[in-house]
């Protein structure tokens, strides 16, 4: 989905995006830049929930590799 930036730097969010995020007139949104440089649009009232889990991302530690998981699933020693 594409949209045009006006001379004042404003955009109209496509209806599909508004519907997906549950945005209504007066809703606040939050823009976040990810590590790869992408920008993510979130409902502002949901941002605090996502932040809570963001700090835990990638900290689960090393686990079994795929072959070990498949072997265990099949009941192999």
């Amino acid at each position: 989905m594409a949209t045009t930036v006006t001379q004042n730097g404003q955009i109209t969010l496509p209806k599909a995006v508004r519907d997906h995020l549950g945005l209504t007139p007066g809703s606040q949104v939050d823009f976040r830049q990810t590590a790869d440089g992408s920008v993510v649009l979130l409902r502002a009232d949901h941002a605090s929930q996502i932040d809570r889990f963001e700090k835990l991302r990638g900290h689960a530690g090393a686990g079994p590799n795929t072959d070990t998981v498949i072997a265990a699933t099949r009941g192999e020693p």
Side-chain angles (χ1 to χ4, degrees):
M1 289 175 263
T3 190
T4 304
V5 178
T6 69
Q7 200 168 23
N8 293 331
Q10 297 174 330
I11 62 168
T12 298
L13 293 175
K15 184 172 181 347
V17 173
R18 295 190 316 264
D19 290 347
H20 178 73
L21 294 175
L23 300 175
T24 57
S27 295
Q28 293 189 347
V29 296
D30 188 26
F31 295 91
R32 299 284 174 96
Q33 186 171 1
T34 64
D36 68 359
S38 301
V39 176
V40 178
L41 172 69
L42 306 165
R43 281 183 57 164
D45 58 345
H46 289 241
S48 61
Q49 285 183 320
I50 292 170
D51 286 345
R52 202 171 38 152
F53 297 107
E54 183 68 30
K55 63 184 174 186
L56 300 174
R57 181 176 291 173
H59 293 279
N65 64 28
T66 305
D67 292 333
T68 304
V69 172
I70 291 173
T73 303
R74 292 179 179 160
E76 299 171 359

